[in-house]
């Protein structure tokens, strides 16, 4: 019995000591004291504790952002899912969600440290966000985004090439994601965000339609051109692009060379090879190059021929990503 009591006492002592390195959560009473004079109607607030003033300030800002941004993500994703489902473009949901998470994880600007107090060995900080100021700033940003989107929608309607229309729509879709992050922030603040001046559902519905009408020709010259064409074509196909073998049918041409060379590295067992791609993505309907691609990949194998082929195969995903980025830009 005495042994059990000693063990229990020891565990309690360890837990008590551990609490000194990780400050406990702020209680409602503690929060009321430091937030005195700041109205919930006018400010969003977060309180942080730390063993130093900088630590307390950082925790206060992090707490405010954590609570706020979690609500932003939830509201924005719910709204976007409804738009995507209504447009019949559910296949874009994953990429849109990824953009939402990236945009909403950006540091929340406008947060200020309103007060810092020291209580014994601990510091306590109050972070605030002025609702009215934030609302004004985010409305300004939405206005800028809407102006950009309007310009790209005009490009979509007037572009003489399929690639030009496609890129315009992709840009508008990215701007819409950014816009809705700010709109959700405004809504969470308690205000009403302005409606979008364009139909996002139409944009997402048209993207796969235009893409299906934009055949891509892979014209890469290499000793391994068949391997490259098959692997690059297969990956582009998985991403929804239509491939063609006829230049007269192509809306996009990927032109250039992939050179494979042995790498002079002395090793008793391994042979090394490097594959280097020098490519251009061309708008076939205008004849203009829209992007240049330069990628390289080195691999090793026990045989020189296998090292060479593997370098080509491992280069292909890099080439595909670069092509998609160039087309979508």
């Amino acid at each position: 019995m005495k042994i059990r009591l000693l063990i229990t006492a020891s565990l309690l002592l360890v837990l008590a000591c551990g609490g000194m390195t990780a400050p406990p959560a702020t209680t409602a009473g503690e929060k009321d004291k430091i937030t005195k004079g700041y109205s919930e109607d006018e400010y969003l607030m977060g309180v942080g504790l730390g063993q130093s003033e900088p630590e307390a300030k950082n925790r206060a800002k992090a707490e405010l952002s954590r609570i706020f941004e979690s609500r932003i993500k939830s509201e924005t994703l719910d709204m976007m899912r409804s738009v995507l489902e209504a447009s019949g473009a559910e296949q874009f949901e994953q990429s849109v969600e990824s953009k939402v998470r990236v945009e909403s994880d950006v540091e929340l600007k406008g947060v200020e440290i309103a007060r810092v107090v020291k209580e014994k060995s601990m510091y306590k900080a109050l972070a605030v966000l002025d609702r009215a100021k934030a609302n004004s700033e985010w409305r300004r940003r939405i206005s800028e985004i809407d102006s950009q989107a309007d310009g790209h929608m005009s490009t979509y309607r007037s572009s003489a090439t399929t690639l030009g229309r496609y890129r315009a729509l992709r840009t508008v879709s990215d701007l819409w994601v950014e816009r809705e992050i700010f709109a959700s922030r405004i809504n969470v603040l308690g205000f009403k965000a302005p409606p979008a001046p364009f139909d996002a559902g139409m944009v997402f519905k048209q993207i796969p339609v235009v893409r299906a009408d934009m055949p891509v020709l892979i014209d890469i010259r290499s000793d391994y051109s068949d391997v490259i064409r098959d692997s690059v074509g297969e990956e582009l196909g998985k991403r929804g692009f239509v491939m063609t073998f006829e230049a007269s049918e192509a809306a996009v041409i990927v032109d250039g060379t992939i050179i494979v060379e042995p790498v002079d590295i002395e090793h008793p067992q391994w042979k090394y090879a490097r594959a280097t791609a020098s490519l251009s993505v061309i708008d076939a309907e205008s004849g203009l190059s829209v992007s240049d691609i330069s990628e390289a990949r080195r691999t090793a194998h026990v045989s020189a021929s296998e090292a060479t082929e593997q370098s080509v195969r491992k280069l292909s995903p890099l080439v595909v990503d670069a092509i998609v980025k160039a087309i979508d830009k």
Side-chain angles (χ1 to χ4, degrees):
M1 184 66 180
K2 288 181 179 180
I3 292 174
R4 288 181 181 175
L5 289 173
L6 285 171
I7 292 173
T8 302
S10 299
L11 286 172
L12 290 173
L13 181 59
V14 169
L15 291 172
C17 291
M20 293 300 289
T21 58
T26 308
T27 65
E30 290 173 330
K31 187 173 181 179
D32 288 343
K33 292 178 184 178
I34 198 169
T35 60
K36 187 176 181 180
Y38 288 88
S39 168
E40 288 279 2
D41 293 334
E42 297 180 33
Y43 298 94
L44 287 175
M45 292 176 278
V47 176
L49 298 176
Q51 294 178 330
S52 67
E53 185 172 330
E55 182 182 22
K57 289 180 178 179
N58 289 336
R59 288 188 173 182
K61 289 181 178 180
E63 178 64 12
L64 192 155
S65 296
R66 182 186 66 79
I67 296 171
F68 188 62
E69 296 299 351
S70 64
R71 294 174 63 188
I72 299 302
K73 285 182 184 178
S74 177
E75 174 170 317
T76 306
L77 288 172
D78 286 346
M79 181 278 300
M80 288 185 171
R81 286 191 186 101
S82 66
V83 171
L84 291 169
E85 289 170 2
S87 71
E90 296 92 335
Q91 63 267 34
F92 287 95
E93 184 171 321
Q94 185 175 356
S95 63
V96 169
E97 286 192 10
S98 177
K99 290 186 180 75
V100 170
R101 297 185 194 285
V102 170
E103 291 288 345
S104 58
D105 281 340
V106 174
E107 181 181 358
L108 185 60
K109 294 182 179 179
V111 176
E112 299 177 354
I113 297 298
R115 185 176 293 154
V116 179
V117 297
K118 184 177 183 182
E119 296 180 355
K120 297 181 180 179
S121 62
M122 299 299 294
Y123 288 86
K124 187 185 303 180
L126 172 66
V128 299
L129 179 68
D130 187 304
R131 292 176 185 265
K133 287 183 179 180
N135 176 48
S136 177
E137 170 61 19
W138 293 339
R139 283 180 180 277
R140 183 188 67 79
R141 288 290 294 117
I142 284 178
S143 179
E144 291 177 350
I145 292 170
D146 287 346
S147 294
Q148 294 176 50
D150 184 61
H152 289 289
M153 285 302 296
S154 295
T155 299
Y156 162 68
R157 289 187 288 266
S158 63
S159 179
T161 70
T162 308
L163 179 58
R165 292 193 295 275
Y166 180 78
R167 295 176 101 194
L169 286 176
R170 290 294 296 177
T171 300
V172 172
S173 71
D174 287 343
L175 287 170
W176 177 68
V177 173
E178 185 180 356
R179 182 196 196 281
E180 292 310 313
I181 292 291
F182 288 112
S184 293
R185 285 179 172 181
I186 289 172
N187 292 336
V188 170
L189 283 178
F191 301 98
K192 186 172 179 59
F198 56 89
D199 185 353
M202 182 280 293
V203 171
F204 280 97
K205 190 173 183 177
Q206 279 298 110
I207 285 175
V209 173
V210 177
R211 188 168 57 190
D213 194 35
M214 188 176 65
V216 179
L217 170 65
I218 305 298
D219 187 16
I220 299 176
R221 293 169 296 284
S222 172
D223 292 339
Y224 295 85
S225 56
D226 290 341
V227 174
I228 294 165
R229 185 174 57 248
D230 291 346
S231 59
V232 171
E234 181 181 358
E235 287 303 314
L236 287 174
K238 289 178 181 178
R239 302 191 192 197
F241 291 93
V242 176
M243 310 307 296
T244 182
F245 294 101
E246 300 295 333
S248 60
E249 298 176 352
V252 177
I253 298 174
V254 180
D255 177 78
T257 61
I258 292 182
I259 299 173
V260 185
E261 298 174 307
V263 179
D264 188 16
I265 298 177
E266 292 187 6
H267 192 281
Q269 292 180 314
W270 301 103
K271 302 297 181 182
Y272 293 84
R274 177 185 291 109
T276 303
S278 298
L279 310 172
S280 292
V281 177
I282 300 169
D283 185 334
E285 293 169 314
S286 69
L288 299 176
S289 175
V290 298
S291 181
D292 292 325
I293 297 171
S294 180
E295 298 285 352
R297 190 63 186 261
R298 188 185 74 186
T299 57
H301 200 270
V302 291
S303 71
S305 60
E306 190 65 25
T308 297
E309 187 166 335
Q310 282 195 15
S311 68
V312 173
R313 292 189 181 280
K314 290 188 177 181
L315 178 66
S316 293
L318 300 179
V319 169
V320 170
D321 288 341
I323 292 172
V324 172
K325 184 177 179 180
I327 293 174
D328 284 352
K329 186 176 181 180

